[in-house]
Amino acid sequence: MPSSSVDLDPLPLSWLTQYGYCPRRCALLALERVWSENEFTAAGRAQHQRVHTARVERRGENISLFELPVFSRALGVSGLCDCVEAAQSPDGIHLPYGDGRYRLYPVEYKHGIVRDEVEYHIQLCAQAMCLEEQFGGTISTGAIFFIDAHRRDEVALTSELRKATADTANAVALLVARQLLPQAKYSAKVFLND
């Protein structure tokens, strides 16, 4: 668990993405529970509702786990994976959802246009790190699925990305523990996509 969050409950995994997008936005959500839905967030929520139905789908020897609860004591986070694809593999891990051993592949669903956002990669990496802590094994790749574009972009879960993920989890934990509200930093990104 991050040293700054020893006495805290696990933080929502999604706050890592919020922090990467805008630390102030994350603080408003985390500390003051401020959230204002707009047309973009409403559309994203509606699209995610189709994904967020907890279920297990089997296709041959492969399993897809939707809305899978995950946690990591090391990162101090918990949340849901949109989808975890589990393909049978002799060098995989045992899952309670099927017989045999499986290689895990997390898939994070995103609304809107295709974009290469590091905060999306951090959220996906955090999901993989949660899965590794819960089930064992190593997950080397995952994917971001852009719902509107019907496009899947594979993400390598490198040591650099894992460090950035742990650093972000620590930063969010410090923000919450210290009750910090960062100053606003105005940018086109905030105005166009907020």
Side-chain angles (χ1 to χ4, degrees):
M1 184 176 286
S3 60
S4 58
S5 65
V6 172
D7 297 327
L8 298 176
D9 289 332
L11 301 172
L13 198 149
S14 62
W15 286 1
L16 303 183
T17 301
Q18 296 296 336
Y19 185 87
Y21 183 79
C22 173
R24 182 176 175 84
R25 177 175 165 164
C26 180
L28 289 169
L29 181 63
L31 304 177
E32 300 184 17
R33 305 294 186 212
V34 173
W35 177 256
S36 178
E37 188 158 83
N38 61 32
E39 64 183 288
F40 302 110
T41 59
R45 183 179 41 76
Q47 286 182 329
H48 263 85
Q49 284 177 340
R50 285 182 233 136
V51 176
H52 281 289
T53 303
R55 65 190 188 278
V56 176
E57 292 182 1
R58 290 179 170 76
R59 291 182 188 220
E61 296 180 342
N62 298 329
I63 302 172
S64 292
L65 307 164
F66 292 90
E67 199 179 50
L68 181 67
V70 293
F71 68 90
S72 169
R73 288 184 182 88
L75 293 176
V77 298
S78 66
L80 298 171
C81 291
D82 288 337
C83 179
V84 177
E85 296 174 353
Q88 277 207 342
S89 174
D91 59 345
I93 56 119
H94 174 72
L95 284 177
Y97 307 99
D99 297 328
R101 301 180 76 74
Y102 298 87
R103 181 183 38 81
L104 302 183
Y105 188 84
V107 181
E108 173 63 20
Y109 286 66
K110 292 297 180 189
H111 165 72
I113 62 171
V114 174
R115 52 200 182 278
D116 188 26
E117 302 285 351
V118 70
E119 57 263 25
Y120 293 173
H121 296 189
I122 286 172
Q123 183 180 10
L124 179 69
C125 186
Q127 292 173 9
M129 292 168 76
C130 289
L131 290 164
E132 290 169 347
E133 188 173 323
Q134 284 178 246
F135 299 111
T138 301
I139 301 171
S140 59
T141 57
I144 307 292
F145 178 72
F146 293 94
I147 299 168
D148 292 340
H150 300 284
R151 179 173 141 183
R152 179 185 285 215
D153 287 353
E154 190 163 88
V155 177
L157 305 175
T158 64
S159 58
E160 294 83 10
L161 181 56
R162 288 169 184 272
K163 182 182 180 328
T165 301
D167 290 348
T168 301
N170 276 320
V172 173
L174 280 171
L175 182 141
V176 172
R178 294 181 180 166
Q179 301 287 294
L180 297 174
L181 184 60
Q183 292 294 320
K185 291 182 182 176
Y186 296 99
S187 72
K189 182 177 183 179
V190 174
F191 290 119
L192 294 176
N193 295 324
D194 198 10

